[in-house]
Amino acid sequence: MKFDINVDKCVGAGVCAIAAPEVFDQNDDDGIIVVLDPNPPLEQAQLVHDAATRCPAAVITNVQL
């Protein structure tokens, strides 16, 4: 699966890291999104979709299987 990230829009809410912790994390300094796995397995698809849906800044887009 694939997705796009717009780091410049990230507000550091941390929803992505909570929703999909094997795919996303946060920078320790400012809380900005860090992608741990840019091409996660399909088993992570629902979690990535949830992270994208819940992100208050709509940073995660174009989620594709």
Side-chain angles (χ1 to χ4, degrees), residues 2-65:
K2 295 184 180 192
F3 53 85
D4 293 325
I5 299 290
N6 186 342
V7 176
D8 295 331
K9 289 176 55 177
C10 184
V11 297
V15 175
C16 58
I18 294 168
E22 293 184 27
V23 180
F24 304 112
D25 199 356
Q26 290 180 278
N27 183 310
D28 289 336
D29 295 331
D30 53 13
I32 300 300
I33 190 172
V34 173
V35 178
L36 300 174
D37 189 348
N39 193 16
L42 287 178
E43 298 83 43
Q44 295 292 316
Q46 185 60 50
L47 298 176
V48 172
H49 184 267
D50 289 347
T53 302
R54 296 176 185 185
C55 178
V59 169
I60 306 165
T61 59
N62 299 322
V63 178
Q64 302 172 13
L65 297 179

